[in-house]
Amino acid sequence: MTSRLRAILLTAVTALVAGLVLAAPAQAAPGSDLLAPSPPGSNDFSCRPSAQHPNPVVLVHGLLATQFDNWQYVSPQLKARGYCVFSLTYGQNALLPPPVGLVGGLAPMERSAQELATFVQRVRSATGAAKVDIVGHSEGSLMPDYYVKFLGGSRSVDRYVGLTPLWKGTNTLALDFLNRTGEELGLDPVLVASLDQACASCRQFLAGSDFIRRMNSDGGPKVDGVTYTMILTRYDELVVPYTSGLLEGATNIVLQEGCPTDLAEHAAVAYDPVTMQHIANALDPAHARPVQCLPVPPRGLRG
């Protein structure tokens, strides 16, 4: 392999991941709390769960997001349904200047899972609840299962709802191929030094990564005692293929199978009224209602 090709491969991976990180300022949360304010309806630590909804719901955002921007729609919807709702911004990179350093999900997912474990314990202590339910989007659909599977979270988590999950990783823009090729060429130390300092979780998402292999070890990601519901979209441009989100032993929902007019892509799923109906049914299956199909455009087409 020529040195020129090696340089091209390294440049490609660097540009793609760096571009992802540099896109973050557009998503940075506004407001006076520079560590990302809570979305409407969440983080009332005086909330006491009702008999109908005994489990607090913990919302876990995705990569390059914050609790504020990821859960503007879902959080108040759950609050209106009578849930105690909590959320956090996790995995921030203190080495990056604001506003990039304010977005979350950049830390290694193992470290973010520790942050989540601490937060769940805080929620349980404040509310007196034995267990919580988790609703996570993108990285938030995958990272919490590290907490559940390896950090004892199965004792504290009842229902686990994942939006746009990626249990087998993603091949977005063939990044997994470029990453493997770089490793075979001996470029891995360079990649670690140049990319992981900014976004240590980015390469963990790639199909075949050490993190993905570990999550699928010992019988797979599903943990006994936890009820999983996965919500996927055929129009997911970041989880490629979208079927990476299918989880054996879970209730797997592809939005378009029940609602062909739902065109929500990766980001729009968290703002989708059809998705919200599925979330409500997953959290309270005893009172599940038929899901009304609605026309949902991609988020980028909304006014």
Side-chain angles (χ1 to χ4, degrees):
M1 191 67 64
T2 67
S3 59
R4 181 184 180 189
L5 181 54
R6 294 182 185 216
I8 290 173
L9 287 169
L10 178 59
T11 301
V13 178
T14 302
L16 287 168
V17 180
L20 185 63
V21 173
L22 290 175
Q27 300 186 39
S32 59
D33 184 354
L34 293 181
L35 295 180
S38 301
S42 79
N43 291 337
D44 175 6
F45 281 87
S46 67
C47 185
R48 294 297 175 264
S50 65
Q52 184 178 0
H53 300 308
N55 295 340
V57 179
V58 175
L59 303 176
V60 189
H61 65 74
L63 175 65
L64 295 175
T66 68
Q67 59 176 329
F68 184 85
D69 60 50
N70 209 139
W71 301 117
Q72 285 282 304
Y73 174 68
V74 171
S75 179
Q77 289 282 331
L78 289 174
K79 183 69 173 180
R81 286 169 166 81
Y83 288 92
C84 290
V85 183
F86 298 89
S87 61
L88 75 162
T89 298
Y90 66 89
Q92 293 170 307
N93 188 341
L95 298 178
L96 297 176
V100 182
L102 302 182
V103 300
L106 298 172
M109 281 190 269
E110 296 89 343
R111 195 184 87 191
S112 292
Q114 292 278 3
E115 291 184 49
L116 177 61
T118 300
F119 186 77
V120 168
Q121 182 56 46
R122 180 187 174 198
V123 169
R124 291 177 59 227
S125 296
T127 60
K131 292 190 174 185
V132 304
D133 294 334
I134 285 178
V135 177
H137 181 212
S138 192
E139 180 176 354
S141 73
L142 173 65
M143 177 277 289
D145 202 50
Y146 188 93
Y147 158 58
V148 170
K149 184 171 182 176
F150 297 113
L151 303 180
S154 61
R155 296 188 295 271
S156 301
V157 175
D158 185 11
R159 301 186 183 278
Y160 188 126
V161 183
L163 316 182
T164 64
L166 60 165
W167 300 106
K168 296 179 179 65
T170 182
N171 186 27
T172 306
L173 300 176
L175 273 174
D176 67 323
F177 168 76
L178 290 170
N179 186 59
R180 288 196 310 270
T181 303
E183 291 176 346
E184 291 169 2
L185 293 172
L187 294 176
D188 191 54
V190 180
L191 289 173
V192 169
S194 60
L195 303 180
D196 290 0
Q197 287 186 15
C199 180
S201 66
C202 284
R203 292 196 304 146
Q204 292 183 307
F205 291 109
L206 303 181
S209 71
D210 290 344
F211 185 86
I212 294 297
R213 285 196 295 267
R214 187 173 186 199
M215 292 305 302
N216 284 277
S217 65
D218 299 326
K222 187 177 182 297
V223 178
D224 291 341
V226 178
T227 301
Y228 292 80
T229 302
M230 298 295 117
I231 302 174
L232 298 71
T233 174
R234 288 176 179 165
Y235 300 109
D236 200 321
E237 78 285 14
L238 296 182
V239 177
V240 179
Y242 77 91
T243 52
S244 174
L246 298 173
L247 177 62
E248 184 176 353
T251 298
N252 293 299
I253 299 167
V254 178
L255 290 169
Q256 291 75 30
E257 289 182 357
C259 189
T261 59
D262 190 336
L263 306 182
E265 30 63 52
H266 188 86
V269 167
Y271 290 82
D272 180 353
V274 179
T275 297
M276 188 61 236
Q277 295 175 73
H278 286 298
I279 293 172
N281 286 345
L283 294 177
D284 190 6
H287 299 92
R289 299 179 179 180
V291 174
Q292 180 185 7
C293 181
L294 300 167
V296 179
R299 191 178 179 194
L301 297 182
R302 300 182 184 186

